[in-house]
């Protein structure tokens, strides 16, 4: 069996759901479990209306419910036309919206929303989308079968970011989903949503449907997991900065994780860890161009020196200089203790005998941090820096690649340089306005246009 997960934009309209149906129809023989997000924007709208209701803006909240109702019913009519069960579907959707309106009223009476009630409301997005998708698939000849995520995705009661109970999920998947697959049906389940052992609805946290897909895939021993989204896959660089960026066809899990820390938003690798750890390949694919090859993420893809070029701006450098550091121990510990106290995480560190340079992305607590650091030595702060990085699991073992990187940046001031111990990331600190040109130079050096 395989898992096919469709994100919010891939089920965000009648046309999108129609495309998803064609993708699934082509895969029925591979026994797909279909995992769906809410229609794009729905989860945000649900949370917003819950907060409005809880803060006394009931009319606004009810308007929010009605806007969602109109959108979903519209999509249902477009998808189903006069199909046999259109009235049943409209009835089911309407019942959910009536319930949402009642929940909003209850919150406005209470005057506050608990994490538990927020989850109950947020979960409705996937309930609605999966109801629509099941009906649309059936109308297109796919033997779809609705699965209640709460019946399989057993979680803790940490509302808003519930912890999955993987052993229980495997048991329930075997009881609920496996028989459907064995009968040749196509189960459709909402992502993001779970329930406690007692059946109270929870959610896995925002963007949680990728996590659901991975957990279901791991529970059922899927052959592969397809994450259908609205981009071609992961690219060798951010195409807004490097127009020549190209698709990465295979990427290692550790490289994808490294890129995520630079804000590559295609998917957060930690969410697919449960599947990748079991050796299940995960692909990111574009539902608008299903013929594309997408990006395959695997634990053991070959190690290349450079798989992608990343960059970010808004980096601040803090330098602490102190002759007392010479031959002293515990100096770094004291510095890090101060960063910890000011809740500021450090990204890159470089040391000399008498100075330490550290970079931070979040400079919110910088002023008070500097006051405390000044007790250890002279402190200097440099704002407006940025980072460019080469990411590749084979980088540390390839000194020629490192030489090539520095060669490509000739003429650009590099203020700090750091090779991660795992040899997967060569980070270079440059002026913020050099980040984009440096990324383009590095990309041209490592991914030359084919002649
Ligand atoms: N609908 C949820 C969200 O927007 C989960 C997801 O789409 O992954 O956060
Ligand atoms: Mg998503």
């Amino acid at each position: 069996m395989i898992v096919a997960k469709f994100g919010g934009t891939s089920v965000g309209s009648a046309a999108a759901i129609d495309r998803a149906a064609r993708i699934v129809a082509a895969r029925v023989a591979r026994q797909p479990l279909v995992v769906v997000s809410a229609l794009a924007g729905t989860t945000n709208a649900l949370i917003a209306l819950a907060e409005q209701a809880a803060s006394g803006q009931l009319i606004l909240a009810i308007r929010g419910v009605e806007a969602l109702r109109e959108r979903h019913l519209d999509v249902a009519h477009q998808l189903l036309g006069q199909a046999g069960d259109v009235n049943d579907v409209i009835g089911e959707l309407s019942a959910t919206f009536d319930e949402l309106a009642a929940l909003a009223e209850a919150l406005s009476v209470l005057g506050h929303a608990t994490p538990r009630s927020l989850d109950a409301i947020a979960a409705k997005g996937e309930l609605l989308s999966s109801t629509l998708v099941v009906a649309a698939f059936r109308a297109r000849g796919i033997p779809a079968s609705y699965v209640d995520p709460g019946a399989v995705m057993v979680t803790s009661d940490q509302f808003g970011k519930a912890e999955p109970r993987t052993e229980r999920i495997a048991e329930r998947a075997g009881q609920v989903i496996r028989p459907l697959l064995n009968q040749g049906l196509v189960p459709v389940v909402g992502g993001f949503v779970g329930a406690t052992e007692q059946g109270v609805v929870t959610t896995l946290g925002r963007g949680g449907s990728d996590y659901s897909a991975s957990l279901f895939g791991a529970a059922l021993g899927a052959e592969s997991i397809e994450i259908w989204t609205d981009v071609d896959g992961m690219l060798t660089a951010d195409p807004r900065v490097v127009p020549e960026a190209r698709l990465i066809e295979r990427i290692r899990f550790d490289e994808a994780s490294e890129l995520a820390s630079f804000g590559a938003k295609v998917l957060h690798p930690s969410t697919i860890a449960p599947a990748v750890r079991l050796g299940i390949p995960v692909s990111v694919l574009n539902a608008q161009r299903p013929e594309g090859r997408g990006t395959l993420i695997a634990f053991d893809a070959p190690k290349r020196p450079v798989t992608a070029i990343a960059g970010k701006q808004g980096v601040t450098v803090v330098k602490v200089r102190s002759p007392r550091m010479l031959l002293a121990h515990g100096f770094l510990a004291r510095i890090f203790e101060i960063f910890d106290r000011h809740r500021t995480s450090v990204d890159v560190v470089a040391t000399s005998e008498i100075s330490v340079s550290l970079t931070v992305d979040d400079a919110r607590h910088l002023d008070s941090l500097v006051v405390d650091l000044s007790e250890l030595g002279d402190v200097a702060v440099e704002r407006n820096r940025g980072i460019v990085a080469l990411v590749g699991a084979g980088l540390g073992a390839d000194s020629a690649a490192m030489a090539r990187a520095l060669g490509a940046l000739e003429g650009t001031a590099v203020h700090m340089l750091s090779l991660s111990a795992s040899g997967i990331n060569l980070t270079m600190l440059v002026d913020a306005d050099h980040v984009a040109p440096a990324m383009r130079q590095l990309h041209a050096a490592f991914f030359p246009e084919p002649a």
Side-chain angles (χ1 to χ4, degrees), residues 212-279:
S212 297
S214 160
L215 290 162
F216 288 133
L220 290 157
E223 282 154 48
S224 83
I225 297 178
E226 299 178 341
I227 307 282
W228 291 93
T229 175
D230 56 358
V231 295
D232 286 335
M234 299 184 81
L235 303 182
T236 50
D238 182 341
R240 288 166 302 183
V241 181
V242 184
E244 305 77 36
R246 61 178 83 145
L247 186 72
I248 303 171
E249 288 189 7
R250 277 174 82 94
I251 188 169
R252 288 169 57 94
F253 180 71
D254 48 4
E255 295 170 330
S257 304
E258 225 22 73
L259 286 177
S261 70
F262 284 91
K265 278 208 276 310
V266 175
L267 119 169
H268 205 290
S270 63
T271 62
I272 59 162
V276 177
R277 227 179 270 131
L278 294 180

Side-chain angles (χ1 to χ4, degrees), residues 124-376:
K124 298 289 188 217
E126 273 70 10
L127 174 63
L128 294 162
S129 65
S130 50
T131 303
L132 274 173
V133 165
V134 167
F137 281 14
R138 285 202 190 136
R140 285 155 182 73
I142 300 168
S145 174
Y146 174 85
V147 172
D148 171 10
V152 186
M153 184 63 73
V154 183
T155 72
S156 72
D157 64 357
Q158 235 184 296
F159 297 102
K161 204 160 184 51
E163 288 289 333
R165 302 262 191 259
T166 46
E167 276 168 30
R168 296 288 292 129
I169 296 165
E171 271 171 44
R172 299 273 190 97
Q175 292 159 357
V176 177
I177 296 175
R178 181 73 69 192
L180 300 174
L181 294 170
N182 289 344
Q183 287 167 59
L185 298 173
V186 175
V188 176
V189 64
F192 173 60
V193 177
T196 65
E197 202 69 61
Q198 289 73 36
V200 182
V201 172
T202 59
T203 67
L204 300 176
R206 295 307 307 275
S209 328
D210 293 333
Y211 198 21
S212 297
S214 160
L215 290 162
F216 288 133
L220 290 157
E223 282 154 48
S224 83
I225 297 178
E226 299 178 341
I227 307 282
W228 291 93
T229 175
D230 56 358
V231 295
D232 286 335
M234 299 184 81
L235 303 182
T236 50
D238 182 341
R240 288 166 302 183
V241 181
V242 184
E244 305 77 36
R246 61 178 83 145
L247 186 72
I248 303 171
E249 288 189 7
R250 277 174 82 94
I251 188 169
R252 288 169 57 94
F253 180 71
D254 48 4
E255 295 170 330
S257 304
E258 225 22 73
L259 286 177
S261 70
F262 284 91
K265 278 208 276 310
V266 175
L267 119 169
H268 205 290
S270 63
T271 62
I272 59 162
V276 177
R277 227 179 270 131
L278 294 180
I280 302 172
V282 178
S283 301
V284 178
L285 296 148
N286 188 345
Q288 292 174 35
R289 300 200 313 118
E291 66 286 357
R293 298 220 248 166
T295 298
L296 182 84
I297 304 167
F299 224 54
D300 54 358
K303 289 190 179 184
R304 273 166 306 198
V306 180
T307 296
I309 312 285
K312 64 181 168 193
Q313 298 195 338
V315 174
T316 302
V317 181
V318 181
K319 288 185 174 170
V320 187
R321 211 183 132 80
S322 167
R324 273 184 291 152
M325 184 179 159
L326 191 64
L327 301 179
H329 59 80
F331 197 80
L332 282 175
R334 262 171 279 152
I335 289 181
F336 280 114
E337 190 275 317
I338 292 170
F339 276 85
D340 181 38
R341 205 184 317 140
H342 294 278
R343 292 159 186 265
T344 299
S345 73
V346 171
D347 190 11
V348 186
V349 184
T351 66
S352 79
E353 283 303 332
I354 57 162
S355 72
V356 184
S357 304
L358 312 99
T359 74
V360 300
D361 291 344
D362 173 4
R364 267 179 301 169
H365 306 290
L366 203 59
D367 292 343
S368 50
L369 188 91
V370 167
V371 171
D372 285 359
L373 285 173
S374 299
E375 292 182 6
L376 298 179

Side-chain angles (χ1 to χ4, degrees), residues 36-198:
V36 294
S37 286
L39 273 58
T42 301
T43 312
N44 286 342
L46 289 168
I47 291 172
L49 75 87
E51 281 165 357
Q52 286 159 350
S55 64
Q57 298 168 279
L58 181 59
I59 296 191
L60 217 58
I62 297 293
R63 254 189 239 148
V65 175
E66 293 316 313
L68 285 173
R69 186 195 301 260
E70 208 179 294
R71 176 173 174 204
H72 283 77
L73 294 189
D74 231 40
V75 171
H77 283 297
Q78 286 177 50
L79 280 170
L80 302 174
Q82 300 306 316
D85 56 358
V86 61
N87 288 327
D88 296 349
V89 175
I90 302 286
E92 273 175 61
L93 297 175
S94 300
T96 302
F97 287 109
D98 294 345
E99 201 186 318
L100 269 174
L103 281 167
E105 273 175 48
L107 288 188
S108 88
V109 173
L110 289 172
H112 82 119
T114 60
R116 176 173 168 162
S117 48
L118 279 174
D119 271 3
I121 290 180
K124 298 289 188 217
E126 273 70 10
L127 174 63
L128 294 162
S129 65
S130 50
T131 303
L132 274 173
V133 165
V134 167
F137 281 14
R138 285 202 190 136
R140 285 155 182 73
I142 300 168
S145 174
Y146 174 85
V147 172
D148 171 10
V152 186
M153 184 63 73
V154 183
T155 72
S156 72
D157 64 357
Q158 235 184 296
F159 297 102
K161 204 160 184 51
E163 288 289 333
R165 302 262 191 259
T166 46
E167 276 168 30
R168 296 288 292 129
I169 296 165
E171 271 171 44
R172 299 273 190 97
Q175 292 159 357
V176 177
I177 296 175
R178 181 73 69 192
L180 300 174
L181 294 170
N182 289 344
Q183 287 167 59
L185 298 173
V186 175
V188 176
V189 64
F192 173 60
V193 177
T196 65
E197 202 69 61
Q198 289 73 36

